[in-house]
Every structure is written in C-alpha cells, then in structure tokens.
Amino acid sequence: MAEGKSAIVFPGIGPVRAADSARFLTAHPVARRLVAEADRVLGYSLIDRYREAEARGAGGAFPEPARIAYLVGCLALAEWAVTERGVRPAVCAGASFGGTPAAVQCGALSFGDAVLVTAEWGRRAEAFFAREHRDVVTQSFARVPAEVLAEIRGELDAGGEWNEVACQVDHDFHMLSVREGVLDRLQDRLRAAGGLPLYVMRPPMHSPLFGALREEMAAEVMAGVPFGDPRVPLVSDHDGSLVETAAGVRELLLDAAVRPVRWPLVVGTLRSLGVRQAHVTGEDALWGRVEIMTGAFEVVAVKPQTAMRPRRRSAFV
C-alpha cells in the first residue's frame, strides 16, 4: 500500500474474559502503571473487582470494572504503539465506547478523568435503564444491505412498531433498536432476507429516546470535567466530522447517548485525510475486521497478545 498517514482507532467495547484481560493488565509495564493510577482514582483494586464482578455475573455483559479495564487496556496499547513502535497518528477515532480512550489519546481528556467518567456513566446508565425504556433492546446483524434494511424498517413502521438504527458498522452490518416484543419477528425477518442476527444489547444506546440520560450526564458529571483542545483531530463516530475543540470533544462523548454510530462516515473522513494505515488499538472482533475497513486501509491490530511478544518479533498482525 502507498505511503500515507496513520490513525489510531479505538474499537467499541466487546466481551473479554476477566482472566484474559487481567493477564495483560498485570504483566505489561504500561498497563500496570495505568492500572495503579486507576486504582488510586477509583479507591478500589480494579483487577480484584473485575474478577469478583465476573464471578458474580454482576452488571450484565459490561460491569463497571470491565468497562474501566477495557479503557485501560486500549490506552496502554496505544501508548506502547507510540513509544515502542513509533506510531505517529495524524488523527484519532473511536467507535461508541471507543470515543473515551480516543479523547484521552488525542489529549483532550486526562486519564484519571476518563476513569471517573467511565465509572459514573455506567452507574447512571444502569439506573436510567432500570427505570426507563426497560423494553428497548438493540439487535445487531450482518448480511443485510442498507436497502433491504430500509424495507424491513418500512414494514415495522407500517405495523406501528418503533425502530431506530443505533449503529451502522458496514454497508451490510447494522444494529437496530426495537421494543423487545418485536425481537423474535425481527430476527425471523432478518433471516428470511438472508441476514445473520447476532447479539442483542441490553441496555441499548445511541437513541434520541435517551435524551434524559444525556442531560443528566451533562449537568451532573461532565460539567465539572476539564477538557482541552485535541492535539490531533478526533473524528466523530456520529457524522464523520473533525472535532478540534475542547467543547466539541465534550459534546461528542455526551452525544453517544443519543446519536447513532455511522462508521462508514468515519472511514470516509480518514481516507479523505490521507490515512492509509489504521492501528486498531484494543481487543477487537468487529470494527477493524469489517470489509469497509480492510478495503480502505492497511489495518494493524494492536492487541494484548501482540504487545506481549518479545521485541525481536513483529508486534503487529
């Protein structure tokens, strides 16, 4: 591939076993330092709490310590890639939850504040969805082109069933929010169209329905958090625009509650900036692997396994 600029891209959070995550977080020197800092900020042992939460099955798929461990892992890998492998990103981007480590990486948010925001966001979201919109879920699915999805949504609309696109990952990979009572019919319809229903998200995110959660975060959490102008531009995962001010980064993180993720727009912006190499930094089974990414860039997966290899071997796969 022709020479060009590099980007650091943080994937959205996905399931990671505590034992697998802890192996990297306790053994890698950069990760250990960040874990120690997170422990000081939180007032508890992140690794111990992570293991306990997984053993109890507490907090759904992503309990508080799992979210923070994911944040720590992403940033440890990004720091390692910059300091040890000489990656010099011209721009950063993050998908959904990946927006928070992206804000730290571009210099707009301190690590300690990111830890606190992540913890508080999760606590408030859990309480919010325990009392409001309890029947809303988000179904992810592949192999359904946008025009077919438009037909399916039209059928739902005609039947008076509320639905919203929460995320577009690729041209044929989407996440759609619906009322839980519609879920079985939606899955059947997706299969009939040749689609592949994947996982169901509870709680959901990325919908204008959740404006009250955004307002709560803005007034009671983000209002006291200092943001700075990014050192390098940050690409919005909502519309592909460049975010270059402190206020813009704050709004970007808050808008994660109410605006859908449009990953093809991020890819388009990165290409227009001359990015040729995308370093997808963190545990990822989705965002760096979809065709829209692999067809546009040389995708470099920066993962715990590769960062733990001896220096004589390549760190990237």
Side-chain angles (χ1 to χ4, degrees):
M1 182 171 290
E3 289 187 9
K5 298 176 182 177
S6 293
I8 285 183
V9 176
F10 294 97
I13 191 169
V16 181
R17 291 177 60 247
D20 295 336
S21 181
R23 187 175 300 115
F24 170 70
L25 296 177
T26 58
H28 195 276
V30 178
R32 283 202 309 269
R33 173 171 51 80
L34 292 181
V35 167
E37 185 174 347
D39 288 351
R40 288 192 293 272
V41 169
L42 294 166
Y44 62 74
S45 168
L46 174 61
I47 302 300
D48 289 348
R49 193 70 62 88
Y50 189 6
R51 289 169 172 153
E52 292 166 4
E54 183 175 84
R56 296 196 313 271
F62 307 116
E64 178 179 309
R67 292 191 297 270
I68 297 169
Y70 194 80
L71 171 76
V72 171
C74 284
L75 288 169
L77 289 167
E79 181 177 330
W80 173 83
V82 169
T83 58
E84 296 295 325
R85 296 296 167 177
V87 176
R88 295 292 178 263
V91 62
C92 291
S96 189
F97 180 81
T100 301
V104 177
Q105 182 64 31
C106 74
L109 181 65
S110 74
F111 173 75
D113 284 331
V115 169
L116 290 175
V117 166
T118 298
E120 194 62 29
W121 185 290
R123 293 166 191 167
R124 290 173 183 267
E126 185 176 348
F128 177 80
F129 288 110
R131 66 176 185 269
E132 299 188 42
H133 307 296
R134 298 177 62 181
D135 62 337
V136 176
V137 297
T138 301
Q139 173 73 60
S140 69
F141 49 92
R143 304 176 189 170
V144 178
E147 59 272 18
V148 178
L149 176 58
E151 294 177 8
I152 294 172
R153 294 192 65 201
E155 295 166 7
L156 290 170
D157 291 340
E161 299 291 356
W162 173 87
N163 65 95
E164 283 183 356
V165 174
C167 182
Q168 182 182 9
V169 183
D170 203 342
H171 298 304
D172 64 349
F173 196 130
H174 300 80
M175 301 180 189
L176 187 70
S177 293
V178 295
R179 304 292 180 187
E180 191 165 12
V182 182
L183 195 56
D184 289 343
R185 279 181 285 158
L186 172 62
Q187 292 172 348
D188 289 344
R189 181 65 178 87
L190 292 169
R191 293 188 185 98
L196 178 64
L198 299 170
Y199 51 88
V200 176
M201 293 174 57
R202 294 182 177 88
M205 284 296 285
H206 312 308
S207 169
L209 276 183
F210 312 145
L213 176 60
R214 187 195 189 283
E215 292 174 5
E216 180 180 333
M217 287 298 299
E220 300 182 25
V221 178
M222 292 292 200
V225 175
F227 285 84
D229 293 339
R231 292 190 297 265
V232 298
L234 180 59
V235 181
S236 166
D237 61 331
H238 307 135
D239 58 17
S241 62
L242 290 181
V243 181
E244 301 180 281
T245 67
V249 176
R250 177 181 180 275
E251 293 301 299
L252 176 66
L253 297 187
L254 286 169
D255 282 348
V258 295
R259 297 184 67 185
V261 173
R262 302 287 188 185
W263 198 242
L265 298 180
V266 175
V267 172
T269 297
L270 294 176
R271 284 178 61 90
S272 73
L273 293 173
V275 170
R276 296 295 177 266
Q277 193 172 71
H279 297 266
V280 180
T281 308
E283 292 279 9
D284 176 45
L286 176 61
W287 300 92
R289 299 187 177 191
V290 290
E291 184 177 357
I292 197 171
M293 284 286 285
T294 59
F297 311 114
E298 176 189 354
V299 176
V300 181
V302 186
K303 304 180 294 184
Q305 301 94 314
T306 50
M308 295 288 286
R309 290 175 182 169
R311 289 195 53 139
R312 67 177 181 276
R313 300 178 62 184
S314 172
F316 303 128
V317 296

